[in-house]
């Protein structure tokens, strides 16, 4: 870091810093947490801005009818520092007070967390549930993050060169910066141009439905225009107001999160100025958090990884024993799959041909550990989980579903399975990061060529691909046939008959992942290509 290194404020709706700080839902938050840790490791001038979700995203368990149900607690923390700063965000006509906490407890640069849970505060429960509520509540939450975040940094006296919107939830911060310049006499056009110089934006989803849009009726009703006019707000986000288009128009540079996602995003947003220039910066994960230390050391010494791997595998088997009462066999090839239950991730693809998979499971040559949550309002996702739970009941000795997927479960599974399965419909997975965690622990990836995997995969050398990058409408059929072929023809023989090759592949996997797919590489790339 030197005098000219830009000071960055990294805005995100969720941060996954540690399992005990319940303010994340999944990959987006973990990425944000990892970047704050990497910035701290690299001594870079960054702070995070997020929300102190008092009731978490959801804790999710399975009921007697195999259906996922959600639990909420109200969390109190002793790892947060009171900054003494309170700012106000007018929501509808109500002056909502926002308290600012600071968190540096997890090896991260400072994370400022916004909190409306104050006595007598109108809208006190806006910061209750991450991704909870209806459209009005979502807009209110986004106003707290964007408008409240800018005001909080100013009240803290924090100088900011670059505002990084990690996904689009923070775009109202751009409107607030424009409004402030206009209050100082600038025209809207000049204010937009000048604010743009200080904003960068990362887009995260090729799934249209994952790109939020809001009706202007709701925005106006909530007071999200923040003093701007309908024309001005429409210039930024269109009608309906596309949060992603707004992010692209408000920023001087936008990026996607893998090389393949870069292509998809440039095509997807080509009609928005700046859309065709979207860069690609592939995600990475924080090695200090996700890589087992003894695996790292053994790999560096070129030593045997097997013994250490088996210890990590036994830890997973113990976890399954404790949580599910099932005793898995440490000598059986064990596949892990932990994902948000959403259609394009196809959590049950490996069960599509019951004949083939049934034979493999009954022969006791294969065990499968699955985990994942569905969004509390996503009935389709919940039905997928129910399906998996019922399949697990059909194969009680060799298929398990671990409830309440969180960072603890994620950490253990990406260290202690033998193979990490990933089968999104290409090109729907922007990046994916759990496979990177697995790879740097010598857990071999078996994945469709989507997200980050086309950049990492050397088939048969550091993992395997299946499906050949196929993108037709019959991809489910093509991918499942190919999955069984590679599993039976390559993965199982390597595991059972060519253990020395397998162990070489584990080293190749760690070598591939630990720099190229690290948050350290990623944060440097952000500084070089986005911030400066
Ligand atoms: C790493 C991680 C994710 C993201 O994994 P993907 O492969 O991107 O789906 C989600 N949730 C938890 C708990 C994780 O640790």
């Amino acid at each position: 870091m030197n005098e000219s290194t830009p000071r960055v404020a990294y805005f995100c709706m969720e941060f996954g810093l540690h399992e005990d700080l319940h303010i994340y839902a999944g990959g987006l938050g973990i990425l944000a947490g990892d970047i704050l840790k990497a910035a701290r490791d690299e001594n870079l001038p960054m702070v995070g801005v997020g929300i102190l979700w008092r009731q978490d995203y959801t804790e999710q368990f399975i009921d007697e009818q195999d259906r996922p149900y959600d639990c909420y607690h109200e969390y109190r923390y002793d790892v947060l520092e009171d900054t003494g700063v309170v700012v106000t965000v007018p929501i509808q006509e109500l002056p909502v007070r926002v308290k600012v906490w600071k968190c540096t407890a997890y090896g991260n640069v400072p994370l400022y967390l916004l909190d409306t849970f104050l006595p007598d505060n109108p809208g006190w429960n806006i910061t209750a549930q991450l991704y909870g509520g209806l459209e009005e509540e979502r807009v209110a939450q986004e106003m707290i993050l964007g408008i409240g975040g800018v005001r909080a940094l100013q009240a803290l006296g924090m100088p900011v060169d670059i505002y990084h919107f990690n996904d689009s939830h923070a775009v109202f911060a751009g409107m607030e910066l424009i409004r402030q310049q206009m209050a100082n006499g600038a025209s809207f056009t000049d204010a937009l141009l000048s604010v743009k110089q200080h904003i960068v934006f990362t887009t995260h989803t090729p799934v249209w439905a994952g790109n939020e849009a809001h009706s202007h009726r709701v925005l106006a009703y909530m007071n999200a225009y923040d003093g701007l006019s309908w024309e001005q707000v429409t210039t930024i986000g269109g009608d309906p107001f596309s949060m992603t288009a707004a992010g692209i128009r408000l920023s001087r540079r936008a990026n996607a999160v893998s090389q393949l996602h870069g292509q998809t995003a440039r095509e997807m947003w080509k009609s928005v100025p700046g859309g065709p220039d979207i860069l690609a910066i592939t995600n990475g994960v924080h090695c200090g958090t996700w890589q087992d230390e003894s695996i790292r050391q053994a790999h560096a010494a070129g030593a045997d990884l097997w013994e250490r791997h088996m210890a990590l595998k036994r830890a997973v088997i113990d976890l399954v024993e404790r949580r599910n009462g099932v005793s898995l066999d440490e000598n059986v090839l064990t596949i892990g799959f932990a994902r948000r239950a959403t259609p394009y991730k196809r959590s049950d693809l490996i069960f599509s041909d019951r004949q083939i998979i049934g034979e493999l499971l009954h022969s006791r040559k294969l065990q499968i550990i699955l985990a994942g949550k569905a969004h509390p309002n996503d009935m389709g996702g919940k039905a997928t989980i129910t399906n998996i739970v019922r399949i697990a009941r059909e194969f009680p000795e060799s298929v398990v579903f671990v409830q309440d997927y969180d960072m603890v479960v994620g950490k253990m599974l990406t260290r202690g399975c033998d193979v990490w399965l990933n089968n999104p419909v290409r090109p729907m997975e922007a990046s994916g990061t759990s496979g990177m965690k697995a790879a740097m622990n010598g857990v071999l990836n078996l994945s469709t060529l989507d997200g980050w995997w086309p950049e990492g995969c050397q088939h048969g050398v550091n993992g395997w691909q299946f499906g050949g990058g196929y993108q037709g409408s019959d991809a489910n059929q093509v991918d499942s046939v190919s999955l069984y072929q590679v599993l039976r023809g390559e993965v199982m023989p390597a595991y059972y008959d060519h253990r020395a090759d397998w162990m070489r592949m584990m080293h190749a996997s760690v070598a591939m992942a630990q720099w190229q797919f690290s948050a350290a590489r990623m944060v440097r790339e952000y500084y070089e290509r986005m911030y400066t």
Side-chain angles (χ1 to χ4, degrees):
M1 168 164 103
N2 60 45
E3 289 292 290
S4 64
T5 309
R7 292 160 299 193
V8 176
Y10 187 89
F11 283 63
C12 191
M13 196 73 151
E14 47 170 311
F15 284 88
L17 280 171
H18 192 272
E19 56 263 21
D20 292 339
L21 186 58
H22 301 264
I23 58 169
Y24 68 93
L28 180 73
I30 309 260
L31 180 81
D34 280 4
I35 208 168
L36 297 191
K37 292 175 190 168
R40 161 77 189 273
D41 295 345
E42 308 278 312
N43 195 22
L44 291 163
M46 181 184 277
V47 298
V49 178
I51 291 183
L52 184 62
W53 299 104
R54 286 288 183 175
Q55 298 181 357
D56 197 355
Y57 169 58
T58 170
E59 271 188 85
Q60 200 169 78
F61 302 98
I62 306 297
D63 73 12
E64 248 119 66
Q65 278 87 46
D66 306 325
R67 293 173 310 206
Y69 65 93
D70 298 286
C71 295
Y72 298 94
H73 300 274
E74 201 169 305
Y75 290 98
R76 304 269 153 206
Y77 295 104
D78 52 17
V79 290
L80 304 178
E81 216 176 288
D82 187 345
T83 65
V85 167
V86 176
V87 296
T88 300
V89 177
I91 291 184
Q92 296 177 331
E93 297 306 313
L94 304 169
V96 174
R97 295 197 306 283
V98 183
K99 187 171 172 55
V100 186
W101 301 91
K102 180 179 177 183
C103 173
T104 51
Y106 302 110
N108 54 295
V109 293
L111 169 60
Y112 293 100
L113 290 170
L114 310 171
D115 175 21
T116 60
F117 268 52
L118 297 172
D120 305 326
N121 197 20
W124 61 276
N125 59 352
I126 293 171
T127 58
Q129 290 172 11
L130 171 59
Y131 304 132
L134 302 171
E135 188 179 9
E136 282 81 354
E137 280 110 32
R138 182 68 65 86
V139 169
Q141 294 165 350
E142 291 167 345
M143 291 172 69
I144 298 293
L145 178 63
I147 301 169
V150 167
R151 293 181 183 181
L153 293 169
Q154 290 167 345
L156 289 160
M158 186 80 53
V160 176
D161 301 309
I162 297 289
Y163 296 84
H164 185 159
F165 301 164
N166 188 42
D167 216 336
S168 64
H169 308 103
V171 296
F172 298 135
M175 322 243 278
E176 170 67 4
L177 293 168
I178 290 171
R179 188 195 59 75
Q180 291 184 0
Q181 295 223 349
M182 289 172 72
N184 289 331
S187 70
F188 171 75
T189 313
D190 289 348
L192 174 57
L193 273 177
S194 122
V195 161
K196 247 173 112 101
Q197 295 316 308
H198 299 279
I199 296 175
V200 302
F201 169 62
T202 304
T203 179
H204 283 273
T205 175
V207 180
W208 274 111
N211 287 273
E212 255 179 68
H214 295 301
S215 81
H216 281 270
R217 187 185 52 75
V218 170
L219 294 185
Y221 170 68
M222 297 306 288
N223 201 28
Y225 284 7
D226 196 31
L228 304 187
S229 70
W230 178 84
E231 284 80 8
Q232 290 162 348
V233 173
T234 305
T235 303
I236 295 169
D239 183 5
F241 186 86
S242 159
M243 298 289 280
T244 304
I248 297 170
R249 289 208 192 89
L250 282 166
S251 57
R252 64 169 194 194
R253 235 168 269 164
N255 77 291
V257 292
S258 71
Q259 305 307 309
L260 177 62
H261 179 224
Q263 293 172 21
T264 312
R266 284 188 287 274
E267 177 62 26
M268 196 168 170
W269 301 103
K270 65 183 173 203
S271 63
V272 177
D277 307 319
I278 292 173
L279 303 174
I281 297 180
T282 304
N283 284 164
V285 299
H286 184 250
C287 300
T289 302
W290 298 106
Q291 187 180 37
D292 178 74
E293 180 57 23
S294 61
I295 289 278
R296 189 188 67 76
Q297 286 176 9
H299 171 74
D304 189 355
L305 298 178
W306 191 253
E307 205 175 306
R308 184 56 208 163
H309 170 69
M310 286 306 286
L312 295 165
K313 186 170 178 180
R314 276 178 217 117
V316 170
I317 289 173
D318 287 348
L319 174 85
V320 168
E321 175 94 51
R322 278 199 311 279
R323 296 252 190 124
N324 296 57
V326 173
S327 309
L328 297 175
D329 181 344
E330 67 177 55
N331 296 313
V332 171
L333 173 65
T334 302
I335 291 185
F337 182 100
R339 298 277 157 13
R340 189 158 55 90
T342 194
Y344 81 85
K345 294 194 187 236
R346 300 186 295 193
S347 309
D348 44 11
L349 186 81
I350 192 168
F351 302 109
S352 21
D353 188 323
R354 205 56 68 86
Q355 177 89 35
I356 296 179
I357 196 71
E359 273 168 26
L360 293 178
L361 293 168
H362 285 307
S363 73
R364 307 290 284 126
K365 289 278 191 223
L366 190 63
Q367 298 173 152
I368 307 176
I369 305 174
L370 301 112
K373 287 178 184 170
H375 183 276
N377 300 335
D378 176 5
M379 294 307 132
K382 288 188 168 177
T384 305
I385 291 182
T386 297
N387 185 36
I388 291 173
V389 171
R390 293 188 174 155
I391 292 170
R393 182 126 21 73
E394 269 178 61
F395 304 100
E397 296 182 316
S398 43
V399 181
V400 289
F401 178 80
V402 178
Q403 303 184 25
D404 199 37
Y405 178 40
D406 67 354
M407 283 179 77
V408 176
V409 174
K411 234 181 247 181
M412 294 191 68
L413 293 185
T414 55
R415 285 170 197 214
C417 293
D418 298 308
V419 167
W420 196 246
L421 176 66
N422 182 41
N423 39 233
V425 179
R426 177 176 156 127
M428 293 305 183
E429 184 71 276
S431 167
T433 52
S434 61
M436 301 172 180
K437 302 167 193 168
M440 60 182 56
N441 286 298
V443 173
L444 302 181
N445 277 269
L446 170 61
S447 173
T448 52
L449 285 171
D450 199 11
W452 72 286
W453 191 228
E455 296 163 52
C457 177
Q458 284 182 274
H459 183 86
V461 176
N462 58 19
W464 299 270
Q465 67 84 23
F466 58 93
Y470 186 73
Q471 290 194 189
S473 58
D474 54 345
N476 284 353
Q477 175 66 15
V478 171
D479 288 347
S480 62
V481 167
S482 178
L483 167 57
Y484 295 131
Q485 262 167 10
V486 175
L487 180 59
R488 290 194 293 184
E490 300 182 60
V491 180
M492 297 180 71
Y495 186 83
Y496 288 109
D497 309 329
H498 305 282
R499 188 60 55 81
D501 290 350
W502 188 282
M503 283 156 61
R504 266 195 296 281
M505 289 184 74
M506 289 176 71
H507 273 294
S509 170
V510 178
M512 167 264 293
Q514 64 180 9
W515 169 251
Q516 194 182 344
F517 300 105
S518 69
R521 187 273 307 150
M522 169 175 66
V523 75
R524 284 199 207 170
E525 231 183 293
Y526 274 105
Y527 269 88
E528 283 161 19
R529 299 176 62 203
M530 297 286 282
Y531 303 157
T532 22

